[in-house]
Amino acid sequence: MLRHLGSVSLTQETLTGDPQVDFQFDWQAAFASIPHLAPGIPYTLLISFGGLAIGFIIGIIFGLLRISPTAWLRMPAVAYIEIFRGTPVLVQVLFIFYGLPQLLGGPINALVAGIAAIAVNSGAYISEIVRGGVQSIERGQREAGLSLGLSRVQTFRYIIWPQAFRRMIPPLGNQGIISIKDTSLFSVIGVGELVRQGQIYIATTFTALEVYLMVAMLYLAITLTLSLALRLLERKGLVGQ
Amino acid sequence: MNHEKSTSDGEAIVRLNKLNKHFGDFHVLQDIDLTVTPGEVVVIIGASGSGKSTLIRCINGLEEFQQGELDVDGNPLLPDGKATQALQKIRTEVGMVFQQFNLFPHLSVLDNVILAPMKVRGLSRDAAVETGERLLARVGISDQIDKYPTQLSGGQQQRVALARALAMEPRLMLFDEPTSALDPEMIGEVLDAMRELANEGMTMMIVTHEMGFAREVADRVIFIDKGRIVEEGPPETIFDSPSEAPTQSFLSRVLKH
């Protein structure tokens, strides 16, 4: 593979000694990097799915508060959503990792900071997903439940939520993929996730192209697996719809 | 106005006294006085937007009212939708069939019917299934109980909705334009099921545009115009010799075809 294609002519193929011209993509170097990147995978997965799991709980709570008819329940949810959706996740993690210790008087573990950042950030988006899902269910469903004598809680639990959750699966998958990719920013706080492992490895081998390609492939493997799993879940959930 | 039943009737199942409802500036229901006795079939007719659907939706608390009194089987509902034990009790005793069926699309036909008996009445699954299968057979849906609502025709869905409401063993059934969303060829099957229910002595309040059906099954017809009960009486009186001008005008428009 040639670099700087614009400057390459046919005759240059015969020239030797120009590192820019006969640069070869080194597949061996690429594959050799995998064992060095591998230790980053559990961190990436832990930050992503740990953060998303907490974010999902936050999202259910704040998404439902967001649609409460009671203003003093609704307003804090609106504030939370706007603040954490409207600021960059990178700034959020820097704030948590470097800023919060000044308030708390002690350091925060980088892994914990990463999980917390994904949790509060995805939680804001998931709140909106939950709100949208619940509000998308026709009013007649609630009325039918109430008219049968089900309480408001029972109506939500057995009628509204199962239908809303099915509609939430595609946007939740979307958010999952976004959050997995967001964890790549957390190399800045030194947590040993995929990008961080790549940077460390490149510092000794200088094979940036090969290693970052492998890093990208590993992200893709994770996100494609998630996509596939969600597609199966969705198909299963579509029975009867 | 011609009140057949006096409001002091001790065995009334529904009693409305000077009920008023506003949507903002719009006075939807005005001084509604109405009493329904057990076993009675009351059909409510009127133009779109006259308040007839709103009226029956007040009876199980799906709509709030602002002034007046409403009680169902001795359970009083409070103005402004204040939730009470009585509201919950009313809803377990009053069944409703909606224009849009409102079946639960994520549950099978059988599960639609047994959900409330299990969760509200506390029936075991076996007992609920037994009742559910019997009711579904009665409305002619026996061979489709494991299907999902969207796999059924509109007429079949509405019959499932009827079975679902009946599974709670209601003392009163409300019907909110039950055939208005149906294709014409399916209206008959739903009306047949309702007719059968009426013949068995169920107390029913029906909002409908099916005048032929109203004439046939109603013990009493109520005509509502602009949120007021303009006229009420036996179907022969209302349909053949209405005394009020709005009733005459409405009927001349709807009975023409």
Side-chain angles (χ1 to χ4, degrees):
Chain A
M1 195 185 282
L2 297 169
R3 267 189 180 180
H4 302 284
L5 287 176
S7 65
V8 172
S9 69
L10 282 172
T11 55
Q12 278 179 308
E13 282 186 20
T14 57
L15 296 175
T16 52
D18 183 344
Q20 285 202 337
V21 173
D22 68 355
F23 177 86
Q24 295 283 311
F25 183 86
D26 188 345
W27 284 102
Q28 231 169 346
F31 290 123
S33 71
I34 292 178
H36 299 274
L37 300 175
I41 296 174
Y43 282 101
T44 293
L45 292 177
L46 184 60
I47 300 170
S48 304
F49 290 100
L52 283 165
I54 301 169
F56 187 56
I57 295 166
I58 294 176
I60 292 174
I61 296 168
F62 282 80
L64 296 181
L65 289 177
R66 173 73 182 74
I67 43 182
S68 165
T70 315
W72 61 267
L73 289 174
R74 194 172 60 242
M75 295 321 289
V78 171
Y80 162 74
I81 292 166
E82 294 300 338
I83 289 169
F84 286 95
R85 201 176 52 162
T87 53
V89 69
L90 180 59
V91 176
Q92 290 165 8
V93 79
L94 291 173
F95 181 87
I96 294 169
F97 187 66
Y98 294 111
L100 276 191
Q102 295 184 355
L103 286 176
L104 302 176
I108 290 180
N109 177 289
L111 185 64
V112 172
I115 292 173
I118 292 295
V120 294
N121 184 264
S122 70
Y125 284 96
I126 294 172
S127 298
E128 287 291 272
I129 294 172
V130 168
R131 174 175 79 95
V134 170
Q135 287 184 330
S136 77
I137 304 303
E138 301 69 25
R139 201 179 62 163
Q141 291 290 308
R142 181 169 185 273
E143 292 183 347
L146 295 178
S147 78
L148 285 166
L150 294 167
S151 68
R152 283 163 52 178
V153 172
Q154 286 176 321
T155 299
F156 182 79
R157 179 172 161 199
Y158 299 115
I159 296 166
I160 309 296
W161 180 255
Q163 296 185 61
F165 183 70
R166 280 174 198 188
R167 293 187 190 180
M168 284 160 48
I169 292 173
L172 281 176
N174 215 13
Q175 183 56 46
I177 287 169
I178 290 170
S179 290
I180 289 168
K181 294 186 297 175
D182 280 349
T183 63
S184 65
L185 296 166
F186 300 169
S187 56
V188 298
I189 58 166
V191 58
E193 46 69 66
L194 267 171
V195 170
R196 179 77 182 148
Q197 300 294 348
Q199 287 170 335
I200 294 169
Y201 184 62
I202 290 164
T204 60
T205 64
F206 305 103
T207 49
L209 182 70
E210 288 81 359
V211 174
Y212 282 131
L213 183 71
M214 285 300 112
V215 168
M217 300 295 275
L218 288 170
Y219 276 108
L220 197 58
I222 297 169
T223 54
L224 284 177
T225 307
L226 178 63
S227 286
L228 194 69
L230 286 163
R231 206 163 302 165
L232 292 174
L233 181 66
E234 209 177 324
R235 198 170 302 163
K236 204 174 148 220
L238 281 177
V239 172
Q241 287 280 22
Chain B
M1 261 199 255
N2 165 26
H3 284 283
E4 281 220 317
K5 317 272 172 177
S6 97
T7 45
S8 62
D9 192 336
E11 54 163 4
I13 185 162
V14 178
R15 209 189 305 261
L16 278 68
N17 185 18
K18 293 266 172 287
L19 189 93
N20 280 275
K21 177 177 174 64
H22 307 261
F23 272 134
D25 290 339
F26 181 38
H27 201 164
V28 195
L29 295 174
Q30 306 186 31
D31 292 333
I32 302 285
D33 289 321
L34 175 66
T35 305
V36 179
T37 54
E40 207 181 359
V41 176
V42 175
V43 173
I44 302 165
I45 60 172
S48 300
S50 59
K52 56 193 191 306
S53 286
T54 309
L55 172 60
I56 66 165
R57 287 164 55 86
C58 280
I59 291 170
N60 65 350
L62 290 183
E63 297 281 352
E64 302 171 3
F65 59 94
Q66 278 71 46
Q67 298 102 34
E69 292 169 353
L70 192 169
D71 83 76
V72 179
D73 215 9
N75 301 294
L77 268 190
L78 300 178
D80 300 316
K82 288 197 187 75
T84 57
Q85 289 291 334
L87 174 62
Q88 195 64 28
K89 189 139 192 300
I90 287 170
R91 284 175 172 165
T92 62
E93 290 186 5
V94 177
M96 188 167 210
V97 171
F98 299 87
Q99 183 177 348
Q100 300 294 341
F101 330 136
N102 297 348
L103 291 180
F104 308 132
H106 62 300
L107 299 178
S108 71
V109 163
L110 182 63
D111 284 338
N112 262 273
V113 175
I114 65 176
L115 177 70
M118 286 166 59
K119 302 302 176 190
V120 181
R121 295 260 190 239
L123 257 58
S124 71
R125 190 177 170 90
D126 287 347
V129 167
E130 199 185 317
T131 313
E133 286 178 340
R134 178 171 51 78
L135 288 166
L136 285 166
R138 189 172 134 182
V139 296
I141 310 282
S142 289
D143 44 350
Q144 330 240 30
I145 61 172
D146 293 322
K147 288 192 176 174
Y148 285 86
T150 49
Q151 297 172 290
L152 303 184
S153 73
Q156 289 170 328
Q157 289 190 51
Q158 194 60 302
R159 286 182 281 143
V160 173
L162 178 58
R164 178 177 69 177
L166 293 177
M168 286 297 288
E169 299 178 349
R171 299 205 54 208
L172 165 70
M173 280 293 300
L174 307 174
F175 293 86
D176 187 4
E177 301 199 27
T179 59
S180 296
L182 292 175
D183 291 335
E185 75 270 22
M186 293 170 183
I187 291 175
E189 62 194 65
V190 171
L191 294 182
D192 285 345
M194 291 169 63
R195 192 176 289 121
E196 197 180 316
L197 193 59
N199 290 338
E200 286 167 17
M202 174 64 76
T203 312
M204 297 162 76
M205 294 182 73
I206 306 167
V207 170
T208 186
H209 295 289
E210 297 293 329
M211 296 302 160
F213 175 75
R215 181 192 281 267
E216 183 195 339
V217 304
D219 295 312
R220 181 160 45 127
V221 175
I222 293 177
F223 173 69
I224 293 196
D225 186 49
K226 299 192 180 88
R228 286 182 184 281
I229 295 181
V230 171
E231 190 166 358
E232 62 179 300
E236 308 78 50
T237 313
I238 300 292
F239 288 118
D240 298 334
S241 49
S243 50
E244 304 291 328
T247 321
Q248 292 162 359
S249 142
F250 173 75
L251 288 173
S252 74
R253 274 178 283 131
V254 297
L255 293 179
K256 216 173 266 173
H257 14 257

